Amino acid sequence: MRIPTPRGMNRRHFMRHMATSAATVPALQFLSDLRTHAADIKKAQKACILMWMGGGPPTIDIWDLKPGSKNGGEFKPIDTKGDLQISEHMPKTAMQMDKLSVVRSMSTREADHGRGRYYLHTSFVPNPTVVHPTFGSVVSRELGAKRPALEIPSFVSVNAPSGSPGFMGARHAPFVVGSNGQIRNASLGDDKSRLNQRLRMLSVIETNFINSKRGESPKSHKEIYQKAVNLMTSEQMAAFKVDEESEEMKDLYGTGGFGQGLLMARRLVETGVPFIEVGMGGWDLHNNVFTTLRDQRLPQLDQGIAALTQDLSQRGMLDDVVLVWMGEFGRTPRINGNVGRDHWAASWSVMVGGGGLKGGQAVGKTDRDGTRVDGKAYLPGDIWATVSHALGIPSKTVHRSKRGRPMKLANGGVAIKELVG
Amino acid sequence: MQSGWDTKRLWRWLLLSVTGLALLGQGPFTDAVSLADAADKRSAKPAAGAKTKARSRAAKAAVPRAALTGSAREIVDFINKQIRQGWTDNEIEPSAVAADSEWIRRVHLDLVGAIPPLETVESFLKDRDPAKRTKLIDNLLDDPGYVRNWTTVWSNLLIGRRPPRRTSRRGMRQFLREVFARNRPWNKVVYDLVSAEGHFERNGAVNYMLAQMTMRDDGVQATAKTTRLFMGIQVQCTQCHNHPFNDWKQDQFWQFNNFFRQARRVDHRKYDPRSGRMVDDFSELVFTDFSEKVFYEQRAGTLQMVEPKFFDTPVDAKPETDLRKELARLMIAGQNPLIAQAMVNRVWGHFFGYGFTKPIDDMGPHNPATHPELLERLSLEFVKAGFDVKQLIRWVINSEPYHVTSRVGGDNKVDNPAAGEAPLFSHMYVKSMEAEQLYDSLIVATGAHKAGGAGWEESEQQRQQWLRQFVIAFGTDENDETTTFNGTIPQALMMMNGELVQKATSAERGSYLNRVLGERGSDTVRIRRLFLSTLTREPTRRESNAAVQLIQLIKAKKGDPVSAYQDLFWALLNSNEFIFNH
């Protein structure tokens, strides 16, 4: 079958059609800026990379060891380049600790996976009347919207279940990709010119449905399609292609999903994406916590964090990129009968670094056995307020839910003084 | 069971749920009626400030036993009256009744999980019988698609879209197919799922428990999931501490947990002569002696011992007592067990997109229902009707709110649960299609269901493979998962460029498009057919003109008009109207 292909069709044509078909996103106006700004993108674009440890990592064995306590477990602490000690199974990261800090006094109360995941991602505890945006969506809205040259989604989630954009709407939803960076169905194929024809017809049908007063969803469907077309036709898609990195670079980060995800995150930051979440699972260590950590989790984790910190630093990007490492909660100081640790939210650690925040510190502390926080405790909102500070998002920012309820940025959390100075 | 009722608010609530008549132990149900009358009637006002009224709401929910007639007409009238009361109290008018073309699409998606085929739409639109909607409901409830759809829905709830290793999806589906094909009473189904024992394919019901027992967690996951899924109460947080928002206490979690301690999974392996290795064989669930006591760790670090207890009902646990059977028996006992209202809420939520509580599986005094009397009455009637799921569905979808359009009227903009308001059901809420619904609807829209060819198992496998691309696991021990399906860029990309839609819009011999083009008729007739088979409605004039223009443009360029039809079909399948169930 012969397919007629009008001549002279290029990306600009798609964009024009998309622009005429959707009133909400002015696709055309940024096209002219596109190439000129491309050179500036690489520098001075603030971003956050969240390393999400699905299942709840035993921070007592990683960042806040308790040698000499009955809860201490099998690992020993070692000195680092910063002013704190961490696990002996994190030797590469230890060499970067002058740039990273650990908040050892998290106390977050939610010890259920779903609730903890929600709380740590949003700063709010679950509430039946509203869905709070996961923090990546907040950053997407605050920073992504101000980057007209960015054609790919402003919130990318690599192997991670980042949660919902909530009342920020589907346009700030995480774009979920695998760590191989392959995006299914994104190739235009040979049918490039036909896309126009199709989109024009689509627009007629979609507009009819949008105008029939059926709420928000029909409109956001159209917006998502626009983003998808942007993606298909954008040269920035190259940011996902981790394969284009040198073998040396790939080996530096580690060839597992976590390392490759971090490497992709760095590429995405260079392209202007302000928030990337990279997931690493398998932390729900109710059994055999020590052998699993030593043989499987920590080598990967150590290599990934160290490579990312070093790489960003060498490229002069670390002052603009905030790194956050957290899970839904920590794990019980007490070691259970299966040589495991269970869920524990009362006293645990989060790692924060880069973005101009002070490195090399342990902020806050837990008691001798790690079962409670000594002194001031921090909440998820305090971490996100710190991140916001580093990203230049004003702490007074207030968002409104769909019902008009005001929601303070990071649930009114306060940036941690020791980190922001 | 009498002692201790008045000790906690929770017990009062449970009492009301269980007996459905006595009020806080105050006496005969006539009192309940007068108190209900006196109670605040603005039952459906937004939930703000509602917490303090939890008790009066719960009280109000008591329905006198004499009102339970079981008559379908009367129950439907009752639903209409209750829902209308919410409209009156909030001073809104409902949207108009949905056109047949809108309604037939909705009822097909909800009941049989796919849009209706063209012929069904055409004959329904022509049908002059005033009772045609009720008749269609009855027909669809007897359709094999009903069994398939509800098997999918419950299989996803029980074991997930990506079941854990060593769980038999096939076994689970076999069990569920029988449940929905024979319309087995819901209490028996719950009993079977909670108490099942044996081989994972010979007794498919065991897969529910097997899927909750992927690690040695002392039945913690089984406890959390069973209470949430079947009884609509969330206790998972109380594993470690008293619940921050409701009245659940940590000891109750472990009292419940006690019932699961005799369940043991056995994973058999076998020698595979081809590889020379041992490989997975079947798994089974067996009864094992558990004579130890259950201890849990309080926040202070002290250990506390608990006995098995179902709310305030202790169980005389002898070593030979099968505690899971005891639990299953207690879960289904009484005149209005929690499993009834949990199911009513879930079924209502299935058809309307929102249940009487949000979320649907977190019920209790801390989270009052929007229509407590209606929930109560439907639960009681459901029990009285022998836990007949099809009957429950009949009541719900023969009611007025299921027949109003999804188009917001001039007067009911405030009825917007997507913005956090309590749902008033004054217009149908737009639902996103589930991945399975989309897949099956694409099959219907493209006529692939008639092509035959692949057998049931094979086509089921293809469907599974397609679905897997949208599921992400959270990486926790609870095997919870999420889907990247709804309203995301990957979904849009899949619809625009994916193989399935590519195949659907191909005009090769034997394809749907090929057939439409081969039939007689003008361009306008063909365009109409494509609209009807995808959006279940006629094109508007503007749409029809745009499509004709598209075709003429191609013809003018001496191109193949087939490609214009392909583009039209592509646009229809990619439209918001196609992917939303409204």
Side-chain angles (χ1 to χ4, degrees):
Chain A
M1 186 183 58
R2 205 173 68 83
I3 298 159
T5 2
R7 282 171 172 271
M9 284 292 183
N10 58 22
R11 180 160 188 283
R12 204 164 279 246
H13 281 80
F14 300 126
M15 299 310 290
R16 187 168 296 135
H17 284 292
M18 287 308 282
T20 49
S21 61
T24 44
V25 184
L28 250 185
Q29 73 183 41
F30 67 70
L31 263 175
S32 53
D33 303 334
L34 203 65
R35 308 284 177 245
T36 45
H37 284 192
D40 297 332
I41 289 174
K42 289 204 176 181
K43 49 182 189 218
Q45 293 245 59
K46 302 269 183 199
C48 174
I49 299 175
L50 167 63
M51 295 172 253
W52 181 258
M53 304 295 116
T59 55
I60 191 171
D61 297 314
I62 307 172
W63 305 115
D64 186 13
L65 280 78
K66 295 293 168 189
S69 158
K70 62 182 189 307
N71 297 334
E74 297 179 6
F75 301 163
K76 292 185 191 64
I78 54 168
D79 287 336
T80 68
K81 278 182 84 177
D83 196 15
L84 74 168
Q85 289 192 314
I86 61 172
S87 170
E88 58 180 324
H89 298 293
M90 300 284 284
K92 292 176 177 156
T93 303
M95 298 303 288
Q96 305 293 331
M97 280 316 285
D98 53 329
K99 309 177 191 81
L100 309 170
S101 289
V102 175
V103 179
R104 283 183 174 159
S105 49
M106 297 302 292
S107 191
T108 54
R109 138 174 130 169
E110 299 293 346
D112 164 63
H113 290 293
R115 295 181 67 92
R117 187 161 51 229
Y118 187 98
Y119 190 27
L120 269 294
H121 273 102
T122 65
S123 314
F124 294 84
V125 291
N127 174 316
T129 63
V130 61
V131 181
H132 301 94
T134 183
F135 210 77
S137 302
V138 176
V139 175
S140 162
R141 170 159 156 169
E142 292 300 320
L143 300 188
K146 294 176 190 141
R147 296 185 185 174
L150 185 66
E151 296 164 13
I152 58 178
S154 47
F155 175 11
V156 177
S157 172
V158 191
N159 278 342
S162 313
S164 158
F167 57 79
M168 301 230 154
R171 78 189 66 120
H172 297 295
F175 179 59
V176 182
V177 294
S179 57
N180 60 10
Q182 280 168 18
I183 294 162
R184 296 170 81 117
N185 306 316
S187 155
L188 267 177
D190 301 328
D191 273 5
K192 283 184 189 169
S193 62
R194 276 182 89 180
L195 188 57
N196 268 319
Q197 222 151 284
R198 295 180 161 190
L199 292 175
R200 203 178 310 139
M201 190 65 224
L202 177 65
S203 178
V204 174
I205 300 165
E206 295 227 304
T207 308
N208 177 63
F209 196 60
I210 288 169
N211 291 342
S212 73
K213 294 195 211 159
R214 293 178 214 253
E216 292 286 307
S217 346
K219 204 166 114 195
S220 64
H221 180 267
K222 192 165 181 171
E223 287 170 12
I224 293 294
Y225 263 65
Q226 175 142 17
K227 285 192 156 199
V229 172
N230 281 359
L231 197 73
M232 281 160 61
T233 55
S234 171
E235 285 167 15
Q236 292 176 359
M237 284 287 279
F240 293 103
K241 292 179 183 151
V242 196
D243 261 0
E244 289 178 357
E245 293 284 335
S246 69
E247 289 308 311
E248 198 186 358
M249 190 55 78
K250 282 187 239 174
D251 288 343
L252 177 72
Y253 276 82
T255 47
F258 182 61
Q260 296 302 291
L262 291 180
L263 182 51
M264 194 197 303
R266 192 262 288 153
R267 292 174 65 88
L268 290 163
V269 170
E270 286 177 318
T271 310
V273 177
F275 197 100
I276 301 106
E277 177 166 346
V278 181
M280 174 172 178
W283 293 100
D284 205 6
L285 298 166
H286 292 282
N287 311 313
N288 297 327
V289 57
F290 303 111
T291 45
T292 316
L293 283 178
R294 190 186 58 225
D295 300 340
Q296 296 168 35
R297 300 289 172 273
L298 294 187
Q300 256 197 70
L301 182 72
D302 184 39
Q303 185 177 8
I305 296 177
L308 179 67
T309 314
Q310 184 194 333
D311 192 16
L312 288 174
S313 170
Q314 281 171 359
R315 285 165 194 259
M317 295 163 66
L318 192 60
D319 276 350
D320 294 308
V321 183
V322 196
L323 307 181
V324 181
W325 177 99
M326 59 164 65
E328 49 265 54
F329 36 68
R331 306 200 75 81
T332 44
R334 192 175 73 91
I335 300 157
N336 70 23
N338 299 321
V339 203
R341 297 189 192 266
D342 304 317
H343 303 179
W344 186 256
S347 50
W348 61 289
S349 304
V350 161
M351 190 275 282
V352 187
L357 300 172
K358 284 190 190 152
Q361 306 181 77
V363 178
K365 59 176 195 250
T366 50
D367 68 3
R368 197 184 154 276
D369 293 325
T371 53
R372 61 188 182 83
V373 170
D374 259 355
K376 184 168 171 50
Y378 291 104
L379 298 176
D382 300 324
I383 298 293
W384 291 120
T386 309
V387 170
S388 302
H389 178 95
L391 295 176
I393 302 172
S395 60
K396 285 184 182 148
T397 307
V398 171
H399 298 110
R400 290 195 179 271
S401 76
K402 287 186 183 162
R403 274 169 104 175
R405 252 164 77 186
M407 301 276 179
K408 288 184 183 163
L409 180 74
N411 197 10
V414 178
I416 298 172
K417 216 188 265 167
E418 291 91 325
L419 296 175
V420 301
Chain B
M1 222 182 126
Q2 288 279 346
S3 65
W5 272 357
D6 52 352
T7 54
K8 283 180 195 149
R9 199 165 53 142
L10 173 71
W11 303 143
R12 291 198 202 99
W13 173 68
L14 285 167
L15 163 71
L16 288 162
S17 308
V18 169
T19 65
L21 51 95
L23 253 162
L24 316 180
Q26 282 180 8
F29 57 79
T30 44
D31 286 345
V33 178
S34 56
L35 213 151
D37 284 342
D40 178 14
K41 279 223 169 118
R42 284 168 300 166
S43 57
K45 280 272 186 200
K51 255 180 196 167
T52 51
K53 288 185 189 149
R55 201 148 45 142
S56 69
R57 279 167 189 281
K60 195 181 155 196
V63 173
R65 196 191 274 172
L68 303 177
T69 64
S71 148
R73 163 159 297 205
E74 197 176 312
I75 296 166
V76 171
D77 283 348
F78 186 79
I79 298 176
N80 295 346
K81 211 177 112 207
Q82 289 285 315
I83 295 294
R84 279 183 163 276
Q85 190 62 50
W87 299 340
T88 312
D89 292 344
N90 288 274
E91 296 170 352
I92 59 168
E93 289 285 327
S95 291
V97 172
D100 282 344
S101 56
E102 179 181 327
W103 185 84
I104 189 183
R105 189 174 202 270
R106 171 193 308 171
V107 75
H108 272 79
L109 279 164
D110 289 340
L111 276 180
V112 299
I115 60 168
L118 178 63
E119 308 77 59
T120 312
V121 177
E122 286 189 313
S123 72
F124 187 73
L125 296 183
K126 270 186 229 149
D127 192 347
R128 293 289 173 88
D129 184 347
K132 66 179 179 178
R133 291 194 181 187
T134 299
K135 284 180 183 165
L136 180 61
I137 290 171
D138 286 338
N139 287 343
L140 290 178
L141 283 169
D142 289 335
D143 191 283
Y146 167 84
V147 179
R148 183 172 150 128
N149 183 36
W150 289 76
T151 296
T152 298
V153 169
W154 273 94
S155 165
N156 288 348
L157 287 170
L158 292 165
I159 62 172
R161 280 198 168 89
R162 197 154 62 174
R165 190 172 154 235
R166 311 218 65 161
T167 306
S168 169
R169 202 172 170 280
R170 206 170 123 199
M172 187 80 260
R173 289 185 67 95
Q174 261 166 11
F175 171 79
L176 289 170
R177 275 209 297 277
E178 199 198 311
V179 164
F180 293 107
R182 288 179 42 205
N183 194 28
R184 291 189 57 207
W186 188 247
N187 56 345
K188 301 238 163 81
V189 177
V190 171
Y191 184 91
D192 283 359
L193 288 167
V194 173
S195 67
E197 256 178 50
H199 187 291
F200 74 171
E201 269 168 6
R202 281 183 218 129
N203 180 10
V206 301
N207 289 292
Y208 164 65
M209 281 295 294
L210 286 178
Q212 321 310 321
M213 295 171 62
T214 51
M215 23 192 341
R216 284 186 208 146
D217 69 347
D218 297 328
V220 164
Q221 194 191 332
T223 310
K225 179 107 175 189
T226 301
T227 43
R228 181 173 182 168
L229 189 60
F230 300 117
M231 302 198 282
I233 46 184
Q234 298 206 7
V235 298
Q236 65 270 30
C237 325
T238 54
Q239 179 192 343
C240 310
H241 54 81
N242 294 340
H243 198 287
F245 304 129
N246 67 30
D247 287 340
W248 276 87
K249 297 284 177 270
Q250 198 184 359
D251 59 343
Q252 289 168 327
F253 182 92
W254 294 101
Q255 287 162 2
F256 256 94
N257 170 267
N258 233 313
F259 289 105
F260 294 97
R261 293 300 184 98
Q262 295 161 324
R264 193 164 68 90
R265 66 176 303 152
V266 184
D267 294 323
H268 296 270
R269 290 168 73 77
K270 65 180 175 192
Y271 179 74
D272 175 32
R274 286 219 323 244
S275 64
R277 289 183 181 181
M278 297 297 285
V279 293
D280 287 357
D281 195 4
F282 68 97
S283 294
E284 63 179 331
L285 197 61
V286 298
F287 174 93
T288 176
D289 278 336
F290 184 83
S291 46
E292 300 162 42
K293 291 294 174 199
V294 170
F295 288 90
Y296 70 91
E297 186 177 332
Q298 291 175 314
R299 291 196 98 183
T302 50
L303 289 179
Q304 179 70 40
M305 192 192 85
V306 283
E307 301 280 353
K309 210 169 167 188
F310 184 81
F311 298 106
D312 57 347
T313 311
V315 175
D316 179 22
K318 301 192 181 75
E320 68 276 13
T321 311
D322 186 331
L323 287 172
R324 263 193 312 135
K325 288 208 167 66
E326 271 302 292
L327 172 64
R329 186 181 65 75
L330 288 163
M331 278 172 75
I332 67 172
Q335 285 177 25
N336 188 11
L338 292 175
I339 61 158
Q341 64 170 36
M343 186 61 171
V344 166
N345 204 25
R346 200 174 274 285
V347 163
W348 187 276
H350 175 90
F351 289 100
F352 290 95
Y354 293 91
F356 298 117
T357 62
K358 195 159 71 171
I360 50 168
D361 53 6
D362 188 8
M363 305 171 79
H366 66 292
N367 189 17
T370 54
H371 297 73
E373 288 166 81
L374 179 52
L375 172 62
E376 179 75 6
R377 169 82 184 262
L378 283 176
S379 311
L380 289 167
E381 295 284 5
F382 179 49
V383 177
K384 198 172 171 212
F387 293 88
D388 183 336
V389 176
K390 282 193 185 180
Q391 194 57 37
L392 172 62
I393 292 175
R394 257 185 214 105
W395 298 331
V396 170
I397 66 178
N398 275 294
S399 75
E400 186 179 355
Y402 191 70
H403 293 258
V404 291
T405 173
S406 54
R407 206 183 264 262
V408 179
D411 204 30
N412 56 352
K413 279 196 202 79
V414 293
D415 182 8
N416 186 4
E421 304 290 343
L424 295 168
F425 310 105
S426 72
H427 58 89
M428 180 49 72
Y429 306 124
V430 172
K431 303 188 282 263
S432 292
M433 276 196 202
E434 294 291 329
E436 291 88 353
Q437 288 176 319
L438 177 64
Y439 183 89
D440 292 347
S441 294
L442 282 169
I443 300 287
V444 170
T446 56
H449 64 299
K450 281 192 292 197
W456 193 88
E457 267 302 326
E458 196 186 326
S459 63
E460 180 57 29
Q461 263 176 22
Q462 286 170 0
R463 184 175 179 241
Q464 280 312 309
Q465 207 182 351
W466 182 85
L467 291 168
R468 260 196 289 273
Q469 62 184 307
F470 300 109
V471 184
I472 322 172
F474 280 132
T476 69
D477 58 343
E478 286 165 18
N479 297 308
D480 37 2
E481 59 188 25
T482 183
T483 146
T484 59
F485 184 70
N486 285 327
T488 61
I489 295 173
Q491 183 197 46
L493 291 172
M494 178 276 298
M495 289 300 289
M496 284 195 281
N497 306 319
E499 196 190 357
L500 195 65
V501 176
Q502 230 167 56
K503 239 194 233 165
T505 54
S506 90
E508 281 158 31
R509 194 168 299 167
S511 72
Y512 180 69
L513 208 51
N514 184 281
R515 221 176 327 131
V516 170
L517 295 173
E519 284 163 14
R520 280 182 195 204
S522 63
D523 284 338
T524 327
V525 170
R526 289 171 178 162
I527 291 166
R528 180 181 169 272
R529 288 177 74 83
L530 289 183
F531 267 83
L532 276 172
S533 49
T534 49
L535 306 184
T536 328
R537 65 165 174 88
E538 312 262 349
T540 64
R541 185 176 298 171
R542 187 148 179 262
E543 288 166 336
S544 189
N545 287 346
V548 168
Q549 260 176 27
L550 179 71
I551 294 160
Q552 281 168 353
L553 182 82
I554 303 284
K555 281 182 181 164
K557 289 182 186 163
K558 308 229 180 304
D560 185 350
V562 172
S563 74
Y565 278 103
Q566 286 182 311
D567 294 346
L568 170 62
F569 202 34
W570 181 93
L572 286 163
L573 295 176
N574 272 281
S575 67
N576 44 17
E577 190 171 349
F578 182 78
I579 208 158
F580 286 118
N581 177 4
H582 58 97

